[in-house]
Amino acid sequence: MSLYAKDTDQAFQGAGTKPGLETWCVENLQLVAVPKTSYGKFYSGNSYLILHTIIPKSGPPLHDIHYWLGNDTNKVDSDLASDKALELDAALGSCSVQYRELQGQETEKFLSYFKPCIIPIEGVYSSQKGHSNEDTYEVRLLTCKGDHVVHVKEVPFSRSSLNHNDVFVLDTASKIFLFSGCNSSTQERAKALEVVQYIKDTKHSGNCEVATIEDGKFVGDSEVGEFWSFFGGYAPIPRESPSFFQDQSDIQSVKLFWITYQGKLSQIESDSFAREVLEADKCYMLDCEAEIFVWMGRLTSVTERKTSISAAEDFLRNQGRSAGTHLSLITEGLETSKFRSYFANWPLKVEPRLFEEGREKVAAIFKQNGYEVKELPEEDIEPLIDCRGTLKVWRVDGDELSLVPISEQRKLFSGDCYVVQYTYSGNGREENLFYAWLGCESTLEDRRDVIYHMNSVVDSTRGDPVMAQVVQNKEPDQFFFIFQMLIIYKGGKSAGYRKFLAEKGIDDKTNNESEDAFFRIQGTSPDNMQAIQVDQVSSSLNSSYCYILNSGTTVFTWIGNLSLTRDHDILHRMLEFINPTWQPISVREGSEPDIFWTALGGKTEYAKGKEMKGHVEDPRLLLLNITEGDFKAKEIFNFTQDDLTTEDVLALDCHNELYIWIGCHSKVKSKQQALMLGQKFLETDVLAEGLSVDTPFYVVTEGKEPTFFTRFFEWDFSKQNMHGNSFERKLAKLKGKPQSVEAPLRTSWKSYSRESTPNGLRSRSVSSNGQGRSPSPAPNGSSSNWKSPVSRPQSTSTPTARELFSESPRSGSSPGSPTEDTRSSIENSYSQANETEAENNINLIIYPYERLKVVSSDPVPGIDVTKREAYLSDEEFVAKFGMTKGNFYKLPKWKQNKLKMSLNLF
């Protein structure tokens, strides 16, 4: 946080230094801090200022500033709120995005802070002690809109207010009625139930009846009759009755204006806009009809910014724009993904950062070589699933899957594609995780075939296992952990690869383990180490790695100056694994003999440090909307497990890996369709963050979420296993009915037939050969080849090489199905439901860290292994975690788990 100027409002003292919300109200032309107990209560006669702060593990704090204007607020207060938002931004170092929020037209980001909803209060806020701000109780009719955040509006208490498109809440003294228009969606009805619960708790102290009324149902139901009696009796609703919510047109014209120093708008004529148009010493307005952005260059003054904001607000008034037109204020360098999407080829800020150990001597080496140290020490990576499971690997060879012998299954070839099945114990049951691994030199045909083969194997597996596609050089850590020790050779063995070489006239250089070879050694521990064959040239070297060079007559091990002690240990282990008979000559960087450089074709320049991806940002959840020939994604802000709605398909974008979550009641009914959604998401790059189409990604189905997915949520297993659609589930909870612990039912994944598959490609199916289904499906272990009973598809003129996924998980094990392990599910649910109390009030015997960590020579028996950190003394907890226990338990669950993993306490 920047230093405050002397003339900065005292109300902002200390603002933005802690994560979460801070709220001020304009009262008597001054900002007054609103107590936390009143957060979410907004008076229609006031203007408010809201600051939301996120403090990431690394990098500067992230701020969003919203100024909320009530319908009855006066212009002086609203102008003051706008000016104070700009003042707060300047105090924070001009590093926030600002939003204007109008009552009843709030942005979804703003509403996400106040779940389940905000219901503005008539009147004016007063900070006077003892002053009652609450209005008297009265019957109200509210309408609700939204499937993940809900807009609530009070409408006239009249029959004419009802319509077929919206959901309404009638709040009376003794009962709350929910009226669902026949054209409203299940998700909207479910969200409206959350509003009913909120009103019941806040207005009725939890004591009142709830009734649900369906549009058109008026015979033989006493509650329906009671509802209509408030409107003078039943009468049909007109067919064309209007909705209180305006639908935004998908078709938008976009205009860009330069805002002069005098506040005049000068349109920039162009069919498309480039980033270069925006100059750092000017302000601009981007008019997207439903939303207007004011972009403020980093060299502009506060006065210029105020003038630009006033010009945009005057533009809205003069144009007679809808009150629902949102206004966002963006400082250069903090552009949102939506803003960037309106510009062609917005440049990505990718700065290669060098890896370093973090110690002074390594930093000195970087400095000596002219490199700036920018990265923190690399975190130790721990697996998130049980890595003591069983592994099966098949190589794709046209219509056949060749089962790789156990002795060879940790040796892959970059010219081939493989199906990998990993079976492990998770939550008291057997889980299966499938990967389609695409070698970087593999053919388009093999890449397409491996997906169909994986689908066929999955078809013969019980349940809905997690599936993933990874491309060589983009593998997630979890993939390497399940192999533990892996060699990736150049070349390939499939007929398709050999045919490709013959057609192109390329020599086959497939490694036969006796020829010259050059390996880069990488990994983080003896349980995660790889030898990757690279081009036998000196430019393949990197100071951060160790290498093995077999020149035919001599074997060398090369140790980079920036490699770590653990790298040296991994080097010796991999040397033993590749060929235990080799007797290498060890050389350190800078002392290589001439014969070493000769074997590499001469000495040339090479990298002095490996590039890092930088700190990982918090994941984002997006709702995917799939219609014929169209694909849209909408971000869900401040998401929770409740946003995983069973009717939806969602993408959890973790930046270096992606998860596609499929609800049991969604329209996606086949594996092929689910996988294609992942690829489409990467190709579309909705957030304009430069996602690679080779990013690994997983398909996860509702009720079968693995732990490497659930770690991003405050996960409640009882919610995971509820039955019915989203409305039925929330209604059962609202009425206090026992919730089913039976996993949601899903129609088995279907493969595409020739008629339904794009380009006429037919999915391959597994031939059972009369054999029963086994826990580890697919080919019988006695047979090395699995031939598909379906004829090989013909190649198309434009085959798609990257057929499905692109984002991989970070690790995980999936929770057990309650139908098979009900007791475990209930215990987990009970444990998580009482977690906060247990963490804050736990009175445990204190044990030292060395006895509490997962791998300990003297482990403590009988402790709760899910809360190892709770047994640490307060002093040792702060020393290890860098924070108090209270602050630790305020973090999201997935962040807690990540910290615990880094300390070997998870």
Side-chain angles (χ1 to χ4, degrees):
M1 184 170 175
S2 67
L3 294 174
Y4 288 98
K6 291 182 179 179
D7 56 350
T8 300
D9 197 311
Q10 288 299 309
F12 296 144
Q13 190 65 39
T17 58
K18 296 180 180 179
L21 288 175
E22 295 172 77
T23 303
W24 299 267
C25 179
V26 177
E27 184 182 13
N28 298 325
L29 300 181
Q30 289 185 334
L31 280 186
V32 176
V34 176
K36 289 188 176 181
T37 53
S38 295
Y39 283 9
K41 294 181 180 179
F42 294 92
Y43 286 81
S44 61
N46 290 102
S47 297
Y48 291 80
L49 192 64
I50 298 91
L51 171 65
H52 181 245
T53 301
I54 297 175
I55 300 182
K57 188 174 181 181
S58 60
L62 305 175
H63 305 289
D64 285 306
I65 299 173
H66 305 256
Y67 57 100
W68 186 89
L69 310 177
N71 287 339
D72 301 324
T73 189
N74 59 58
K75 189 175 186 305
V76 174
D77 284 356
S78 63
D79 288 346
L80 180 61
S82 174
D83 290 345
K84 288 297 180 181
L86 203 57
E87 183 180 322
L88 177 57
D89 172 61
L92 295 171
S94 297
C95 59
S96 70
V97 179
Q98 301 162 61
Y99 304 86
R100 185 184 67 157
E101 309 286 354
L102 300 183
Q103 179 179 337
Q105 303 294 338
E106 295 87 356
T107 63
E108 293 198 355
K109 173 173 276 193
F110 180 79
L111 292 174
S112 71
Y113 305 144
F114 307 103
K115 291 181 178 178
C117 65
I118 62 171
I119 303 177
I121 304 168
E122 293 294 326
V124 178
Y125 172 79
S126 173
S127 59
Q128 296 289 326
K129 289 185 178 181
H131 179 85
S132 175
N133 290 312
E134 299 295 337
D135 50 356
T136 57
Y137 184 86
E138 61 179 343
V139 177
R140 293 192 297 173
L141 182 63
L142 307 170
T143 182
C144 308
K145 185 75 171 180
D147 47 10
H148 286 275
V149 294
V150 58
H151 292 262
V152 179
K153 286 185 179 181
E154 184 170 0
V155 295
F157 180 27
S158 167
R159 180 190 289 107
S160 61
S161 293
L162 302 175
N163 62 61
H164 298 295
N165 301 313
D166 298 327
V167 182
F168 295 83
V169 175
L170 177 62
D171 178 21
T172 72
S174 60
K175 185 178 288 190
I176 304 174
F177 297 87
L178 178 73
F179 176 85
S180 302
C182 58
N183 296 329
S184 62
S185 69
T186 302
Q187 296 97 310
E188 286 179 325
R189 299 178 187 189
K191 291 303 293 185
L193 281 176
E194 293 183 11
V195 176
V196 171
Q197 181 73 64
Y198 173 77
I199 295 173
K200 178 180 178 181
D201 294 339
T202 58
K203 286 287 188 179
H204 301 267
S205 301
N207 298 316
C208 73
E209 296 182 46
V210 173
T212 56
I213 311 299
E214 294 182 22
D215 186 6
K217 182 179 179 182
F218 57 91
V219 178
D221 191 317
S222 59
E223 289 184 331
V224 172
E226 185 180 356
F227 170 80
W228 285 111
S229 68
F230 284 95
F231 299 93
Y234 173 77
I237 300 172
R239 186 179 298 272
E240 300 298 330
S241 53
S243 169
F244 282 88
F245 297 94
Q246 298 176 346
D247 294 327
Q248 302 289 355
S249 173
D250 292 334
I251 302 175
Q252 298 176 345
S253 64
V254 180
K255 298 177 183 178
L256 182 65
F257 299 86
W258 166 47
I259 306 176
T260 68
Y261 302 127
Q262 295 77 30
K264 304 296 183 182
L265 300 180
S266 177
Q267 185 171 352
I268 298 174
E269 299 291 345
S270 178
D271 293 333
S272 63
F273 306 109
R275 167 65 180 86
E276 291 72 24
V277 173
L278 306 176
E279 299 180 29
D281 60 347
K282 295 179 180 178
C283 294
Y284 298 83
M285 186 183 79
L286 185 70
D287 178 14
C288 308
E289 293 190 353
E291 184 167 12
I292 285 182
F293 299 91
V294 173
W295 184 91
M296 301 171 289
R298 66 180 183 277
L299 301 181
T300 56
S301 66
V302 173
T303 301
E304 290 172 319
R305 297 181 183 191
K306 284 184 177 180
T307 300
S308 299
I309 295 169
S310 296
E313 292 177 339
D314 289 341
F315 175 82
L316 286 173
R317 283 191 292 268
N318 296 336
Q319 291 286 317
R321 291 293 178 88
S322 162
T325 304
H326 294 139
L327 175 61
S328 301
L329 316 174
I330 297 174
T331 304
E332 180 180 0
L334 298 168
E335 296 85 0
T336 62
S337 58
K338 190 170 184 180
F339 178 83
R340 296 195 304 266
S341 68
Y342 292 108
F343 291 78
N345 302 317
W346 187 280
L348 297 170
K349 293 185 177 179
V350 180
E351 299 178 7
R353 283 174 281 191
L354 298 176
F355 171 82
E356 49 94 11
E357 190 179 10
R359 299 174 183 172
E360 291 182 2
K361 63 177 183 179
V362 178
I365 293 173
F366 271 104
K367 231 172 189 178
Q368 184 179 356
N369 287 275
Y371 296 100
E372 182 182 359
V373 178
K374 297 183 181 179
E375 277 296 330
L376 295 173
E378 186 175 26
E379 296 181 2
D380 289 334
I381 302 170
E382 297 291 338
L384 295 177
I385 60 173
D386 182 358
C387 291
R388 297 169 295 179
T390 58
L391 189 66
K392 279 192 176 183
V393 180
W394 296 271
R395 186 178 65 252
V396 171
D397 198 353
D399 288 340
E400 295 183 354
L401 275 183
S402 301
L403 182 63
V404 178
I406 293 178
S407 60
E408 299 293 318
Q409 66 184 8
R410 285 179 169 80
K411 300 176 182 179
L412 307 181
F413 287 82
S414 60
D416 291 334
C417 294
Y418 297 82
V419 174
V420 177
Q421 177 188 3
Y422 182 64
T423 305
Y424 63 98
S425 176
N427 215 31
R429 56 170 291 162
E430 190 177 73
E431 302 288 352
N432 281 290
L433 172 59
F434 285 89
Y435 287 97
W437 185 84
L438 283 57
C440 62
E441 299 176 317
S442 60
T443 65
L444 300 178
E445 186 84 3
D446 283 348
R447 291 187 175 203
R448 182 170 61 247
D449 289 345
V450 71
I451 300 302
Y452 294 119
H453 282 305
M454 180 175 68
N455 288 344
S456 298
V457 179
V458 172
D459 281 341
S460 65
T461 307
R462 291 180 181 177
D464 289 327
V466 177
M467 300 183 294
Q469 175 186 293
V470 297
V471 178
Q472 184 182 347
N473 299 324
K474 289 285 187 177
E475 296 93 346
D477 296 319
Q478 197 63 52
F479 180 82
F480 288 136
F481 270 114
I482 66 175
F483 275 91
Q484 297 187 344
M485 187 179 291
L486 180 64
I487 307 175
I488 301 179
Y489 292 105
K490 282 183 166 293
K493 297 184 177 182
S494 75
Y497 177 75
R498 295 179 183 277
K499 180 182 177 182
F500 171 79
L501 295 182
E503 290 176 349
K504 298 295 182 180
I506 303 174
D507 293 336
D508 187 359
K509 297 182 179 180
T510 301
N511 189 285
N512 61 11
E513 302 185 32
S514 62
E515 298 176 347
D516 295 5
F518 192 28
F519 298 96
R520 182 181 72 243
I521 307 303
Q522 62 186 40
T524 59
S525 72
D527 296 326
N528 169 22
M529 51 188 184
Q530 306 88 43
I532 313 296
Q533 187 176 0
V534 296
D535 293 334
Q536 195 165 321
V537 292
S538 57
S539 60
S540 296
L541 291 169
N542 187 305
S543 298
S544 293
Y545 294 100
C546 296
Y547 292 79
I548 298 173
L549 171 62
N550 175 22
S551 66
T553 57
T554 309
V555 176
F556 296 93
T557 57
W558 185 87
I559 299 174
N561 285 338
L562 301 181
S563 61
L564 310 178
T565 302
R566 71 178 184 194
D567 298 328
H568 308 161
D569 178 53
I570 292 173
L571 171 66
H572 297 308
R573 290 173 182 265
M574 289 305 301
L575 181 70
E576 180 75 14
F577 182 59
I578 295 172
N579 192 326
T581 65
W582 283 348
Q583 298 296 321
I585 298 173
S586 179
V587 297
R588 282 203 169 261
E589 182 178 2
S591 60
E592 302 87 349
D594 291 340
I595 187 175
F596 176 82
W597 295 118
T598 300
L600 293 179
K603 185 177 181 179
T604 60
E605 290 295 321
Y606 58 85
K608 301 297 182 181
K610 64 183 178 183
E611 292 184 0
M612 297 294 291
K613 299 173 183 176
H615 74 277
V616 178
E617 299 178 17
D618 287 346
R620 298 182 180 184
L621 187 68
L622 297 102
L623 173 66
L624 303 185
N625 185 12
I626 312 103
T627 56
E628 284 294 328
D630 198 9
F631 178 88
K632 295 180 182 177
K634 182 179 73 172
E635 184 170 0
I636 299 171
F637 301 99
N638 298 303
F639 63 84
T640 66
Q641 183 185 354
D642 289 335
D643 288 306
L644 301 176
T645 310
T646 186
E647 293 84 11
D648 291 333
V649 178
L650 298 138
L652 183 67
D653 180 7
C654 303
H655 310 284
N656 59 358
E657 61 188 15
L658 175 72
Y659 299 85
I660 301 297
W661 183 89
I662 310 295
C664 287
H665 292 80
S666 72
K667 295 179 181 179
V668 175
K669 301 301 180 184
S670 72
K671 298 186 299 293
Q672 188 87 358
Q673 188 180 2
L675 298 176
M676 290 172 68
L677 283 175
Q679 185 62 36
K680 186 70 174 177
F681 181 90
L682 295 173
E683 292 171 353
T684 307
D685 193 12
V686 178
L687 298 178
E689 58 181 342
L691 281 177
S692 168
V693 290
D694 290 339
T695 301
F697 77 89
Y698 291 65
V699 168
V700 176
T701 55
E702 182 185 2
K704 299 292 183 180
E705 296 89 348
T707 54
F708 53 85
F709 174 83
T710 61
R711 68 196 176 105
F712 295 106
F713 301 83
E714 297 265 357
W715 199 258
D716 182 344
F717 284 93
S718 66
K719 293 180 180 178
Q720 176 189 26
N721 300 315
M722 291 172 65
H723 184 68
N725 63 34
S726 55
F727 178 78
E728 293 166 341
R729 297 178 188 184
K730 289 184 178 177
L731 183 60
K733 181 179 178 181
L734 180 64
K735 294 198 172 185
K737 295 181 180 179
Q739 299 171 5
S740 170
V741 293
E742 188 170 333
L745 298 177
R746 153 179 293 285
T747 304
S748 297
W749 284 117
K750 296 180 292 184
S751 297
Y752 279 116
S753 66
R754 181 178 294 276
E755 291 73 22
S756 62
T757 305
N759 301 324
L761 297 175
R762 186 173 182 182
S763 175
R764 294 161 169 75
S765 59
V766 181
S767 176
S768 64
N769 297 323
Q771 299 173 357
R773 183 177 289 173
S774 63
S776 294
N780 189 343
S782 61
S783 172
S784 61
N785 294 327
W786 179 19
K787 184 152 184 141
S788 172
V790 183
S791 60
R792 187 186 182 94
Q794 297 296 316
S795 296
T796 63
S797 57
T798 57
T800 302
R802 306 177 180 99
E803 271 280 313
L804 301 178
F805 312 34
S806 286
E807 276 256 352
S808 318
R810 285 196 185 165
S811 41
S813 103
S814 48
S817 167
T819 54
E820 298 183 21
D821 196 0
T822 303
R823 180 179 179 181
S824 174
S825 243
I826 294 174
E827 289 174 350
N828 283 334
S829 172
Y830 178 83
S831 173
Q832 295 226 354
N834 293 278
E835 186 167 307
T836 302
E837 181 181 357
E839 288 165 345
N840 291 332
N841 302 307
I842 198 164
N843 184 17
L844 302 174
I845 300 174
I846 302 301
Y847 293 105
Y849 168 77
E850 292 300 322
R851 295 194 65 193
L852 291 170
K853 62 184 184 180
V854 176
V855 181
S856 173
S857 58
D858 182 24
V860 181
I863 63 171
D864 183 351
V865 295
T866 66
K867 297 186 179 65
R868 294 176 185 269
E869 78 285 354
Y871 296 89
L872 290 170
S873 67
D874 291 343
E875 294 76 15
E876 192 166 16
F877 190 99
V878 172
K880 293 295 182 183
F881 286 87
M883 66 183 76
T884 64
K885 289 183 179 179
N887 288 335
F888 172 79
Y889 290 123
K890 291 178 182 177
L891 296 174
K893 193 66 178 178
W894 69 271
K895 286 189 176 181
Q896 293 180 26
N897 291 342
K898 188 174 182 181
L899 286 173
K900 288 162 65 175
M901 283 185 289
S902 69
L903 294 170
N904 209 12
L905 291 171
F906 184 82

